[in-house]
Amino acid sequence: MDLAEMGIYTVEDILFYFPYRYDVFELKPLQELIHEDKVTIEGRIVHEPSLTFYGKKRSRLSFTVEVEEVAVKAVMFNRAFAKKQLNIDDTVTLTGKWDAHRLQITVNNYKKGPADEQASIQPVYSVKGNVTSYKIKKAVRTALQTCKDDINDFLPDTYLESYKLPGRLEAAAAMHFPEDRVQLKHARRRFIYEEFLLFQLKMQLLRKWNRESTSGNAQHYDPDRIKGFISSFPFTLTDAQQKALHQILNDMKSPYRMSRLLQGDVGSGKTAVAEVCLYASITAGKQGALMVPTEILAEQHFQSLQKTFGDRASIVLLTGSVKGKKRRELLLEVANGEVDIVVGTHALIQDDVHFRNLGFVIVDEQHRFGVEQRRVLREKGLNPDVLFMTATPIPRTLAITAFGDMDVSVINEMPSGRKAIETYWAKENTLERILQFIGKRVCEGEQAYVVCPLIEESDKLDIQNAVDLYDQLEEFYQNKVRVGLMHGRLSADEKENVMKEFADGDLDVLVSTTVVEVGVNVPNATIMVIYDAERFGLSQLHQLRGRVGRGKRQSYCILIADPKGETGKERMRIMTETNNGFELSEQDLQLRGPGDFFGKKQSGLPEFKVADMVHDYRALETARNDAATIIENDLLYCDPAYQQLNMYLEDNAMLHEKLD
Ligand code: ADP
Ligand code: MG
């Protein structure tokens, strides 16, 4: 193993191969040491160290040191050789994990002699094979010497001055060999800003090129007909809906291709906005498409669109289960323009689907839709305006990083007259009372969901859980309540049937694995019981909760959970305290970190070396605004102060790779 195998080829590579963390050796009084923290203590050895061996190569060296007249026990694992070096009466400085209850330190670093006056900060590198930290440090020192004059700062001076950031070389040196915390902090600040700015410039340039490369698709819709359509709704749009609609309509009439994310809590009325946009597109003589993640959802959207549009549009449903002759007929109608709106799943963008004149595409629950599908659309030579809708409010910090190449509209207001859902956190032993409560509501003609334990990567267990719970409910209610069961193993038809029965009110309670998670709309359902709620993220819980509270009646969400850890308890508390999806998503992000937020499959998030989207969100906002100013004013090309920055962007090929 050598440096090259670690991806380090040039002097610059090594210079910017930063430590992944730092060990801080700072002496503190015993009193101030925190249990389980990494600490440094200084003391005198009062007993001859004793060494014991166990297993093949394992050993344990233990000894007692006197620190501030207190006897502290020290243990060191697998460092038998240290026995020779540590003798009675030696003064030693030990660093390791502190056990405040047993007054014991598990040493992972020791030094003979007293501690340094000043805290020493030691870089820790991620190393492989025989490339040691020592080797890296040495290479870094050499690199700092040799390329002193080659590292120029591509950030314009005005930025360094106004943010008080150190220059690039100085900051790099401080990242490796910080003299103190303050110096390290400023060095980090510098690279955090640099990373964010470069990333934002890249995203915003992409967005700009995207727009400019697609001129000529202005949609000339008919404002009067749109107004008429809106007034046919049984409600008036909220201010937030109107604002979002206005933004989208503006994009549609512009000659550029729209790529916009519409965020809004479940039930905030995104679909209503989307319907107006689809209609606008139709008045402009174009076709529209609505893509959703599951067949059930497609079916539901199809029905509700038909209701809303009446004879204003010809709408078809195109899913994987539409096959054979039926499919061929539909495709023909789509191709010759008889069809105005196509609703469907991924099947909607398969090879054999050709639109006559596709103007507007809505992708619902965007984060479940792969980047891939977006690319396919584009590759079919279709340049429609695209609206991505998501009911999982995405924290602002993530939205501007993951979707930095998109515009964002937010519906941050609920239609008036909705009752806030009451959320309770219960232990499993209260199940009987919960079932009684459900029974009562059912007598009043209401319906309930019971969502089952989710066991990762085990469809079988998921189903077993659902089946067991279903049996339990059947036994409890003795046919007085009609209970249905739905899980992932049912065929699409079976699922649809169960869902339909529930939606039609032929079932009172639906026991289900999380397949109900996505978007189904049964306004008569007022209770959502979630089993093992601690296994879900906040956003997911919120999503599930959003299945109720859709009608006029008071709705309830009951979380059955017995979380062991503090984070789990915190989650449950947060759920009971807020109904605001955006607030929750911010909290979720704090608790889970950006990687977990979208789930592993498709995070789409960039990786930063130094920066952290959650903790450094202020820097992210700043960088985003600065990038916007730079792009809007074309500074990269027009202002000599930005020439270096522009060259850096080009040299690093940052602008050549496409994001999707
Ligand atoms: P979302 O797609 O954001 O989950 P929907 O558009 O499906 O929300 O709306 C949820 C429910 O609220 C639907 O029954 C819809 O008819 C209704 N609704 C939408 N907008 C309004 C409004 N401005 N006032 C009252 N009800 C509304
Ligand atoms: Mg919806």
Side-chain angles (χ1 to χ4, degrees), residues 299-313:
E299 168 84 15
Q300 244 190 3
H301 273 294
F302 172 63
Q303 281 167 4
S304 82
L305 283 185
Q306 276 187 320
K307 227 184 268 163
T308 315
F309 278 85
D311 53 14
R312 284 188 183 84

Side-chain angles (χ1 to χ4, degrees), residues 537-575:
L538 280 178
S539 295
Q540 233 180 335
L541 288 173
H542 183 63
Q543 186 84 11
L544 285 167
R545 176 166 65 182
R547 298 301 111 223
V548 297
R550 305 187 146 232
K552 297 222 161 19
R553 286 189 265 203
Q554 179 62 52
S555 288
Y556 306 88
C557 174
I558 300 166
L559 308 168
I560 301 181
D562 194 5
K564 298 285 173 290
E566 266 318 302
T567 314
K569 289 180 184 152
E570 183 64 18
R571 277 215 208 114
M572 296 306 121
R573 272 195 291 273
I574 294 170
M575 278 302 291

Side-chain angles (χ1 to χ4, degrees), residues 5-222:
E5 284 172 67
M6 289 172 66
I8 301 172
Y9 305 101
T10 67
V11 182
E12 275 208 32
D13 289 342
I14 186 76
L15 207 50
F16 296 103
Y17 188 78
F18 293 147
Y20 79 94
R21 70 177 171 86
Y22 299 85
D23 278 339
V24 181
F25 303 106
E26 183 179 32
L27 213 52
K28 281 189 190 156
L30 275 189
Q31 287 290 337
E32 287 176 24
L33 301 185
I34 294 167
H35 183 58
E36 306 236 293
D37 255 12
K38 186 160 193 182
V39 304
T40 300
I41 56 174
E42 176 198 300
R44 191 176 57 88
I45 300 182
V46 291
H47 282 299
E48 189 68 31
S50 82
L51 181 63
T52 44
F53 282 92
Y54 57 98
K56 259 194 186 148
K57 282 184 189 155
R58 313 226 204 143
S59 71
R60 179 179 198 271
L61 185 67
S62 58
F63 52 99
T64 309
V65 285
E66 186 189 298
V67 183
E68 299 166 27
E69 303 187 340
V70 174
V72 169
K73 196 161 173 220
V75 290
M76 218 187 286
F77 290 99
N78 308 325
R79 258 176 283 180
F81 58 86
K83 180 165 165 51
K84 286 202 203 80
Q85 297 166 1
L86 301 171
N87 301 301
I88 267 191
D89 270 348
D90 280 352
T91 296
V92 286
T93 302
L94 308 171
T95 299
K97 193 163 147 187
W98 181 240
D99 184 331
H101 309 312
R102 296 149 84 183
L103 289 180
Q104 175 174 310
I105 183 168
T106 307
V107 180
N108 46 29
N109 212 309
Y110 72 93
K111 172 174 100 90
K112 289 188 64 167
D116 297 322
E117 290 276 300
Q118 226 190 8
S120 98
I121 304 177
Q122 289 297 326
V124 181
Y125 295 92
S126 130
V127 294
K128 275 193 195 136
N130 56 5
V131 178
T132 58
S133 251
Y134 177 76
K135 212 164 164 180
I136 293 178
K137 271 192 224 173
K138 220 174 108 190
V140 171
R141 271 188 217 282
T142 315
L144 277 170
Q145 280 306 316
T146 45
C147 60
K148 251 203 296 238
D149 305 319
D150 307 333
I151 300 291
N152 52 38
D153 204 325
F154 50 73
L155 289 184
D157 288 342
T158 46
Y159 287 63
L160 299 184
E161 279 157 26
S162 60
Y163 300 136
K164 298 199 169 46
L165 298 174
R168 201 151 193 264
L169 180 70
E170 186 192 335
M175 287 296 285
H176 294 288
F177 308 111
E179 275 167 23
D180 53 41
R181 287 175 209 257
V182 178
Q183 200 197 33
L184 178 59
K185 186 177 106 187
H186 290 306
R188 288 181 47 91
R189 273 205 315 124
R190 144 93 211 193
F191 288 110
I192 289 167
Y193 179 76
E194 174 183 314
E195 283 187 315
F196 281 155
L197 184 72
L198 292 173
F199 179 74
Q200 284 296 333
L201 282 170
K202 173 175 159 175
M203 295 296 260
Q204 294 186 31
L205 277 169
L206 275 176
R207 184 177 142 226
K208 184 173 159 179
W209 292 342
N210 238 335
R211 289 173 71 119
E212 288 174 357
S213 66
T214 58
S215 55
N217 80 339
Q219 302 207 41
H220 305 287
Y221 49 75
D222 181 340

Side-chain angles (χ1 to χ4, degrees), residues 235-238 241 264-272 415-416 418 521 550:
F235 46 76
T236 49
L237 296 179
T238 61
Q241 281 173 313
D265 228 331
V266 264
S268 61
K270 294 179 297 299
T271 309
S416 61
R418 294 269 170 82
N521 191 21
R550 305 187 146 232

Side-chain angles (χ1 to χ4, degrees), residues 420-439:
I421 301 166
E422 287 177 22
T423 303
Y424 299 96
W425 169 21
K427 298 272 159 71
E428 187 170 355
N429 57 20
T430 58
L431 182 64
E432 204 148 301
R433 273 171 56 200
I434 295 169
L435 294 185
Q436 275 162 4
F437 176 68
I438 293 176

Side-chain angles (χ1 to χ4, degrees), residues 292-434:
V292 297
T294 65
E295 301 220 343
I296 298 179
L297 258 179
E299 168 84 15
Q300 244 190 3
H301 273 294
F302 172 63
Q303 281 167 4
S304 82
L305 283 185
Q306 276 187 320
K307 227 184 268 163
T308 315
F309 278 85
D311 53 14
R312 284 188 183 84
S314 137
I315 307 174
V316 297
L317 178 67
L318 191 62
T319 59
S321 40
V322 180
K323 294 190 183 102
K325 182 153 170 271
K326 180 97 191 287
R327 183 176 173 89
R328 281 196 300 277
E329 279 171 15
L330 281 186
L331 291 182
L332 197 65
E333 288 173 21
V334 173
N336 68 22
E338 274 173 58
V339 162
D340 298 312
I341 299 173
V342 186
V343 182
T345 52
H346 300 54
L348 199 150
I349 52 164
Q350 274 163 10
D351 284 345
D352 58 346
V353 185
H354 299 283
F355 290 87
R356 175 145 191 271
N357 192 356
L358 184 63
F360 195 82
V361 174
I362 298 165
V363 180
D364 199 5
E365 295 309 329
Q366 116 97 34
H367 55 288
R368 283 163 184 272
F369 250 90
V371 168
E372 187 56 20
Q373 280 94 17
R374 286 152 67 181
R375 194 182 53 73
V376 170
L377 257 187
R378 212 166 300 168
E379 280 185 355
K380 296 179 93 152
L382 296 169
N383 242 343
D385 289 320
V386 182
L387 182 69
F388 300 96
M389 292 204 305
T390 177
T392 310
I394 300 164
R396 197 177 148 67
T397 45
L398 288 189
I400 64 180
T401 21
F403 306 107
D405 59 336
M406 279 187 217
D407 296 298
V408 179
S409 295
V410 176
I411 302 185
N412 54 4
E413 174 189 8
M414 286 299 216
S416 61
R418 294 269 170 82
K419 288 206 176 73
I421 301 166
E422 287 177 22
T423 303
Y424 299 96
W425 169 21
K427 298 272 159 71
E428 187 170 355
N429 57 20
T430 58
L431 182 64
E432 204 148 301
R433 273 171 56 200
I434 295 169

